[in-house]
Amino acid sequence: MVEKIIAYVRKTWPAFAVLCIGIVGTLLGRRYVISTVRAGARASFHHAAATARDEMRQMLNRDVDLLLGMRGFVNGTHNLSINQWTAYGRGLHLQRHYGGVGALGFAPQVPFHDRLHFEYLMRRMGLRNYSIFPPGPRSFYCPISYVYTTPIQTARAPGFDLLTNPQRRAAMEAAVASNAPAATGRVALVRGRSVTTTNGVLVYLPVFWPGRPVATPAQRQAALRGFVYVLFQPTNLLRTIAGSAIGRHLKFSVYDGPPTARALLYATPGPRPVGAAWGSNISVAGQTWTLAFYRDGGAGSRSQRLLPSLVLLGGALVSWLLFGISWLQIRSRQQAVEVGDLLRASEMRYRMQVEQSPLAIQIFRPDGASVYVNQAWTKLWGLSAEDAGACNILTNPPPVHPQLAISIQEVFAGRPVALADMYYGPGDLARGKSNRGRWVRSFLYPAKSPQGQVLEVVWMYEDISDRKQAERDLRDAKQMAEDANRAKDKFLAVLSHELRNPLAPVLSVVNMLQERMLDPQESRSALAIIRRNVELEARLIDDLLDVTRITRGKLSLNLETVD
């Protein structure tokens, strides 16, 4: 029996070897597939989480930007009324365009001695029984007065002094100190004269009396008129994110500050998945929100169950599966190399286009220092990049062009400027190395980041000196043509007079011949007059034709020997 088994094995060992190799290959392929699926799931999860974070940041920044428009509305409205504020809020369509905003408000700063008069004005505008609370004498009050709420947000507390709440007061003081929006943490909202269990986040922006200086915190405090603010309802905002195409595949939690139970602003419904997690922070008007994203491991586990089973059941296809995976990897690497080559080629083309551009291009940093000039610039001004960077355009603007200095300040502030034709030379920027001036037409524009920060300023020149010279030549030629035209008119006037002179005697003799019969002597005399004047007219016409031939270069000379 043993000898038969040994003989059978000796005959079929290649089949066993192929089987072993197939099993090993199958196991290796199964392991590779599992690791690849997990890596892809992690990358997809991180991408989806980062996209949801960026979408959340964009929506929050858009909502915070409402404050700038609100401040402009307050400053631009004379004797602001409750009805005007309500019409303004209704026109913004908060539920449609700003899903996270529950209310808009303006809280004016009221001195202690104006308190009763202010309460009287609020009652006249329709807020019955309006009074500032909590009661008590204070130097200033900042009561809720002008409020517009969405239909789903009805919490409002007319007369509540915002300065009496520590969290609100801290955010308002920070807003005045920085002259920028400042947010509170999670605070309990006030309805009527009681505190509700509803939580929200308030963002404040100071409003100053027009015309007063606000350069320093002390000046801003003295010029303070009040605060515009928006009420964020994190639940509504983050529910919008969760309902988006990306958010539906993620579960996440948002905390006001460190991730603690008390700081929780929002968490997607349902149990938290036990799987990979990814955290990040976003800044909301000075407050830091912590984001925690969670990935359910179900998809990965399903792949681990499904693909390995298929590999084990279809052992004959393992080699082809490995070949396909390897081919895909090689192809991915080749595509990555091709994309890298395309990017490098694109950058090279851009550099070549800039270098070979007929326009002179100069690039400045936000601090005014020159960082790059192309060949057309150096050729136009006869300077090098070192010469261009020798002086700062902001600290030493061209003194011969005051308007140019103003335009430079505007473009560094973020506004593109197209300059009119001017005679200019950057000699002052090059410390006197070149005073050569040229007629140029130039354009300055700022390159900005997505947040609107000026990263670089580009100054492009177009040399129009030749065109200016051509315009001067054209004006000179026009003047010469006009002079020639006047000379021609004068010549034609003289010529017309000379041509008419011989015709007058001829016309008189012809009239005389028509009126009566002449004797032979008179006829001969009349014909002689006609002949003489006709010959004179012919000589004048011949002279005119000679002038025409001269101007056309077709004059022919008959050479004869004369005494």
Side-chain angles (χ1 to χ4, degrees), residues 254-266:
V254 182
Y255 302 88
D256 178 22
T260 62
R262 294 185 61 184
L264 180 65
L265 293 174
Y266 177 80

Side-chain angles (χ1 to χ4, degrees), residues 308-376:
S309 298
L310 293 176
V311 170
L312 290 175
L313 293 175
L317 301 177
V318 170
S319 298
W320 290 103
L321 179 62
L322 295 175
F323 169 78
I325 294 174
S326 301
W327 183 85
L328 289 176
Q329 283 191 328
I330 294 172
R331 183 59 181 167
S332 299
R333 293 193 184 98
Q334 291 177 348
Q335 289 178 347
V337 172
E338 292 173 358
V339 170
D341 293 340
L342 290 174
L343 290 175
R344 286 189 292 271
S346 176
E347 181 180 2
M348 184 61 66
R349 285 195 300 271
Y350 170 75
R351 289 184 175 273
M352 291 178 63
Q353 289 173 357
V354 172
E355 282 296 326
Q356 298 177 3
S357 172
L359 298 178
I361 300 175
Q362 187 174 13
I363 301 177
F364 300 92
R365 289 200 306 259
D367 60 1
S370 176
V371 294
Y372 174 78
V373 293
N374 66 349
Q375 294 180 0

Side-chain angles (χ1 to χ4, degrees), residues 310-547:
L310 293 176
V311 170
L312 290 175
L313 293 175
L317 301 177
V318 170
S319 298
W320 290 103
L321 179 62
L322 295 175
F323 169 78
I325 294 174
S326 301
W327 183 85
L328 289 176
Q329 283 191 328
I330 294 172
R331 183 59 181 167
S332 299
R333 293 193 184 98
Q334 291 177 348
Q335 289 178 347
V337 172
E338 292 173 358
V339 170
D341 293 340
L342 290 174
L343 290 175
R344 286 189 292 271
S346 176
E347 181 180 2
M348 184 61 66
R349 285 195 300 271
Y350 170 75
R351 289 184 175 273
M352 291 178 63
Q353 289 173 357
V354 172
E355 282 296 326
Q356 298 177 3
S357 172
L359 298 178
I361 300 175
Q362 187 174 13
I363 301 177
F364 300 92
R365 289 200 306 259
D367 60 1
S370 176
V371 294
Y372 174 78
V373 293
N374 66 349
Q375 294 180 0
W377 191 95
T378 59
K379 183 178 179 181
L380 175 63
W381 304 119
L383 301 171
S384 64
E386 291 76 10
D387 297 332
C391 191
N392 191 293
I393 196 173
L394 289 179
T395 59
N396 187 18
V400 295
H401 292 287
Q403 185 60 38
L404 177 58
I406 296 174
S407 299
I408 290 173
Q409 295 293 335
E410 290 182 357
V411 75
F412 275 91
R415 295 181 292 274
V417 177
L419 299 177
D421 299 350
M422 65 179 178
Y423 190 79
Y424 172 71
D428 297 313
L429 298 180
R431 296 180 180 176
K433 286 192 175 183
S434 172
N435 291 319
R436 181 176 67 179
R438 304 284 290 178
W439 277 99
V440 295
R441 174 175 295 169
S442 55
F443 180 75
L444 298 93
Y445 70 91
K448 300 181 182 179
S449 66
Q451 291 76 26
Q453 181 182 4
V454 176
L455 302 177
E456 291 178 337
V457 170
V458 181
W459 192 347
M460 294 188 298
Y461 306 86
E462 179 186 3
D463 186 5
I464 58 172
S465 299
D466 294 339
R467 186 169 63 192
K468 288 290 184 179
Q469 182 61 40
E471 290 176 356
R472 287 194 294 269
D473 294 343
L474 182 61
R475 286 196 297 270
D476 294 342
K478 180 180 178 182
Q479 185 62 38
M480 293 176 63
E482 290 175 351
D483 294 342
N485 190 49
R486 285 192 293 270
K488 180 193 70 175
D489 293 341
K490 184 177 180 180
F491 170 75
L492 290 177
V494 174
L495 177 64
S496 300
H497 180 71
E498 293 296 329
L499 290 176
R500 284 175 59 88
N501 286 338
L503 295 178
V506 173
L507 184 60
S508 299
V509 173
V510 170
N511 289 334
M512 185 176 62
L513 291 174
Q514 289 177 342
E515 291 175 355
R516 61 187 179 86
M517 295 295 296
L518 303 178
D519 57 33
Q521 181 62 31
E522 289 177 338
S523 297
R524 284 192 297 272
S525 177
L527 293 175
I529 292 173
I530 293 173
R531 181 181 185 83
R532 184 171 61 254
N533 285 278
V534 170
E535 289 175 350
L536 177 58
E537 186 78 15
R539 284 198 302 273
L540 290 174
I541 294 174
D542 288 339
D543 291 342
L544 181 60
L545 291 175
D546 288 339
V547 172

